[in-house]
Amino acid sequence: SPPAAAEPRHASPAAPRRLREKLRTAARMAAPPAHTAPGSRQQVQGGERRAQPSTGASPARETRTPFRFDYERFCRRLRHPVRGSRAGEDPETRARRMKIKEMMKFAWDNYRQYALGKNELRPLTRNGHIGNMFGGLRGATVVDALDTLYIMELEEEFQEAKKWVEESFDLNVNGEASLFEVNIRYIGGLLATYYLTGEEVFKSKALELGEKLLPAFNTPTGIPRGVINLGSGMSWSWGWASAGSSILAEFGTLHLEFLHLSELSGNPVFAEKASTAQLPLQRVLKRVEKPQGLYPNFLSPVTGNWVQHHVSIGGLGDSFYEYLIKSWLMSDKKDSEAKRMYDEALEAIEKHLVKKSAGGLTYIAEWRGGILDHKMGHLACFSGGMIALGAEHAGEERKQHYMELAAEITSTCHESYTRSDTKLGPEAFRFDAGTEAMATRLSERYYILRPEVVESYMYMWRLTHHPKYRQWGWEVVKALEKHCRVEAGFSGIRDVYSTTPTHDNMQQSFFLAETLKYLYLLFCEDDVLSLEDWVFNTEAHPLPVNHTNFR
Ligand code: DMJ
């Protein structure tokens, strides 16, 4: 696809009330922002202290202090210590948690030894993999692992990772990156580690990288394209995305991180570009007709119309829904527009996509122009946790209903694991031709260390405390040890139905960011990264709930 050349049309005269309030606050605290994005306003919009045209020496202007996020004050507002208080746990739970910590250390040590500075470890050949998702950025595993190392109190390993970020993490690269992947892994990982530790290096790297992503939003609708050259700022749609479209799960999975970039920099440009509840996403998604209330996965960033009617709560759609409910939670339940969109979307999903198999398993099908595909991807298994999280905050009568739905979906995903020989789940499983919760195609039998099933176990545990979720998580730990642990790290496997599966020679960075973190949290007390204080981005990087507008 050709590079996007259009000018942004959304340079925002009419920010909604909540944003205006935030900008006013930012303006009171800031002047001018320490980080100013290319092409953005040179100072905080709507503030009381606008910069005057230069008329010579202006004492007021000279004495202003640059915006500085008050980390100490932020910490005082947290309701729980980030690593918890460790009260009241039994020895078995502790031993299991320690085992998962050992797995993390093993995964990290091997990455550090054989692949430090590359994006992922190849554990069989003992070398690094770079790939082409991150536009020349390196160290995806370092940045993805940082907050997990910190939470697990792997102090020495955390210091190794931090040192690499300080000394070797180069942002002056010139390659084509996935906007979504750079955002969820790098920006998410850096922001989370800053909030957990207060170490300035993580904040400044996040802001610097965030600015490099802004040109992707320069489209006629403001909906970003999927690929951006981090050097030139040119952006493209994915070659495989129909008719130059942008992907729902990609453009809908930016605003949690971008809101925090604005919080930390005092520069509203990030929030304006990416917030669901504000411009321009909300405008486009509100206007466009949604078939049966569903959101298709492909949207034109030029016209704002759907390009294809494929709906999925798994790949291509998934984290769009996740970020609606989390947007509301992260705003301390103030972003009611995001909540409304989530509630309506979930209602449509339940009405049109949720089905029960002959054997009584609840699953979420995919939808292709009105025709159901009775398939559920591993990616879609995050939805048990998401629905439970949303249920907590639904009205009393809906709460029980959604908790049951969440439990049923999580149980179906557990079935996809127990029905395999390795006790790990396939990339996709189906409910047709007498098959239930198993892959029917050779190409769908692999497992690449994905987190979504244990992610749902973690939420279900926290929200119900039913012991089966810890039991199910422990089964996964044992299966990972048996089938994925190799001499120099953890590897994905090519066939979950083979008792002697071959390895794919790849230790994905999300294994350290998500799979091991969610497993660890499953065996922690609830006050470790408490859901009262944190929402997890879609790569499991914790971002703080805005309890007080950070004032
Ligand atoms: C992760 O990068 C994120 O969870 C993303 O939202 C979906 N896919 C992978 C893990 O499977």
Side-chain angles (χ1 to χ4, degrees):
S1 315
E7 284 300 305
R9 284 200 329 198
H10 56 280
S12 153
R17 188 176 52 80
R18 197 171 67 85
L19 180 59
R20 279 202 307 272
E21 276 164 16
K22 290 182 101 167
L23 301 186
R24 245 180 256 126
T25 309
R28 274 198 296 275
M29 298 162 77
H35 294 265
T36 305
S40 71
R41 280 169 290 285
Q42 287 296 309
Q43 83 156 72
V44 175
Q45 185 191 46
E48 291 153 9
R49 293 207 221 149
R50 284 172 185 278
Q52 300 303 311
S54 178
T55 54
S58 153
R61 189 171 182 176
E62 278 161 14
T63 53
R64 267 184 231 153
T65 38
F67 175 81
R68 196 177 166 77
F69 178 77
D70 190 335
Y71 184 73
E72 300 304 320
R73 195 152 45 184
F74 156 73
C75 288
R76 289 198 295 274
R77 298 291 189 272
L78 290 174
R79 300 191 175 155
H80 304 274
V82 292
R83 294 194 280 205
S85 53
R86 298 278 183 271
E89 60 181 10
D90 62 279
E92 184 186 72
T93 303
R94 184 172 190 283
R96 291 184 170 184
R97 192 171 67 241
M98 288 303 119
K99 173 64 199 165
I100 297 157
K101 179 171 172 175
E102 183 278 327
M103 292 164 78
M104 178 70 186
K105 180 167 166 48
F106 181 71
W108 168 261
D109 283 348
N110 280 289
Y111 166 76
R112 192 212 50 216
Q113 184 171 353
Y114 299 113
L116 183 64
K118 303 290 191 307
N119 285 324
E120 296 94 5
L121 165 69
R122 288 191 173 280
L124 297 187
T125 44
R126 299 181 190 227
N127 59 348
H129 172 258
I130 291 176
N132 51 12
M133 248 175 5
F134 307 118
L137 292 174
R138 299 282 193 269
T141 293
V142 180
V143 179
D144 248 358
L146 276 163
D147 54 10
T148 311
L149 294 172
Y150 183 79
I151 284 302
M152 292 185 180
E153 300 179 54
L154 286 162
E155 304 296 351
E156 203 179 300
E157 293 76 6
F158 175 76
Q159 290 306 328
E160 290 162 359
K162 180 181 152 197
K163 186 161 182 274
W164 185 87
V165 172
E166 282 169 335
E167 294 174 6
S168 311
F169 186 30
D170 183 9
L171 301 184
N172 291 315
V173 294
N174 191 14
E176 289 161 23
S178 158
L179 174 69
F180 164 80
E181 296 290 354
V182 169
N183 178 56
I184 66 169
R185 299 194 201 204
Y186 285 92
I187 303 271
L190 292 164
L191 286 172
T193 312
Y194 171 69
Y195 280 116
L196 293 175
T197 66
E199 305 263 15
E200 289 290 315
V201 61
F202 302 115
K203 180 174 80 178
S204 62
K205 293 281 184 193
L207 294 175
E208 196 182 333
L209 186 52
E211 289 182 3
K212 288 178 185 288
L213 301 182
L214 289 172
F217 294 83
N218 294 347
T219 68
T221 56
I223 300 280
R225 297 180 195 274
V227 187
I228 178 160
N229 183 306
L230 295 175
S232 67
M234 302 249 268
S235 66
W236 291 264
S237 298
W238 291 107
W240 48 264
S242 8
S245 54
S246 296
I247 311 298
L248 185 69
E250 295 197 334
F251 66 77
T253 309
L254 300 165
H255 47 284
L256 298 189
E257 295 80 2
F258 273 52
L259 280 168
H260 279 289
L261 291 175
S262 281
E263 295 288 354
L264 293 181
S265 64
N267 187 343
V269 68
F270 301 104
E272 287 177 348
K273 296 272 185 197
S275 183
T276 334
Q278 289 134 21
L279 313 165
L281 203 51
Q282 180 204 24
R283 196 177 53 209
V284 171
L285 292 182
K286 225 175 186 173
R287 180 190 57 77
V288 66
E289 196 202 322
K290 289 169 279 297
Q292 322 261 27
L294 297 166
Y295 287 89
N297 291 335
F298 298 93
L299 187 91
S300 163
V302 175
T303 64
N305 292 323
W306 306 118
V307 173
Q308 230 193 49
H309 281 188
H310 172 224
V311 177
S312 152
I313 196 143
L316 305 178
D318 47 9
S319 44
F320 163 73
Y321 306 98
E322 176 186 357
Y323 271 35
L324 290 178
I325 188 67
K326 289 183 176 175
S327 190
W328 182 68
L329 291 169
M330 200 179 83
S331 71
D332 211 11
K333 303 178 193 162
K334 295 192 183 73
D335 189 351
S336 49
E337 183 58 19
K339 176 73 160 54
R340 188 190 61 75
M341 286 169 77
Y342 171 80
D343 287 342
E344 288 177 8
L346 184 58
E347 216 174 293
I349 287 166
E350 196 178 358
K351 186 158 169 208
H352 300 289
L353 307 184
V354 172
K355 299 284 157 199
K356 208 171 244 258
S357 71
L361 298 182
T362 302
Y363 62 97
I364 309 185
E366 297 193 3
W367 190 85
R368 295 175 194 278
I371 303 200
L372 284 186
D373 190 0
H374 297 270
K375 157 193 166 191
M376 208 169 152
H378 193 289
L379 290 167
C381 285
F382 86 98
S383 60
M386 176 188 74
I387 293 169
L389 195 59
E392 272 295 287
H393 307 280
E396 238 350 278
E397 84 289 359
R398 301 305 289 155
K399 178 174 168 172
Q400 200 191 338
H401 170 75
Y402 281 132
M403 281 311 285
E404 278 165 21
L405 179 61
E408 286 174 20
I409 289 168
T410 306
S411 170
T412 299
C413 292
H414 174 245
E415 285 300 315
S416 79
Y417 275 49
T418 57
R419 292 174 190 210
S420 80
D421 295 298
T422 54
K423 306 299 170 210
L424 294 166
E427 179 66 4
F429 45 94
R430 294 181 182 263
F431 299 85
D432 49 23
T435 297
E436 299 220 342
M438 289 182 74
T440 54
R441 303 179 185 184
L442 274 178
S443 61
E444 294 171 344
R445 292 169 159 230
Y446 62 89
Y447 171 69
I448 56 168
L449 306 174
R450 284 198 192 278
E452 291 76 18
V453 174
V454 294
E455 174 180 351
S456 283
Y457 295 169
M458 193 282 289
Y459 283 108
M460 293 306 295
W461 163 256
R462 285 248 170 134
L463 299 170
T464 67
H465 290 134
H466 195 300
K468 74 180 172 196
Y469 297 113
R470 278 189 164 166
Q471 195 46 46
W472 293 355
W474 190 244
E475 287 164 12
V476 177
V477 169
K478 287 192 288 184
L480 286 168
E481 284 286 284
K482 184 162 176 198
H483 298 291
C484 300
R485 188 170 180 139
V486 293
E487 263 184 42
F490 287 88
S491 168
I493 55 177
R494 296 193 193 282
D495 184 356
V496 296
Y497 302 109
S498 159
T499 40
T500 51
T502 48
H503 294 104
D504 69 5
N505 195 20
M506 182 67 81
Q507 179 176 281
Q508 301 282 350
S509 75
F510 53 68
F511 182 64
L512 292 87
E514 299 190 73
T515 313
L516 291 176
K517 186 188 285 132
Y518 286 132
L519 281 169
Y520 183 82
L521 292 175
L522 182 59
F523 295 97
C524 282
E525 293 297 306
D526 294 354
D527 60 354
V528 182
L529 291 180
S530 161
L531 297 179
E532 284 185 70
D533 283 328
W534 304 92
V535 294
F536 292 94
N537 90 338
T538 194
E539 189 78 0
H541 296 306
L543 299 173
V545 172
N546 188 348
H547 287 314
T548 57
N549 238 355
F550 300 120
R551 269 171 289 174

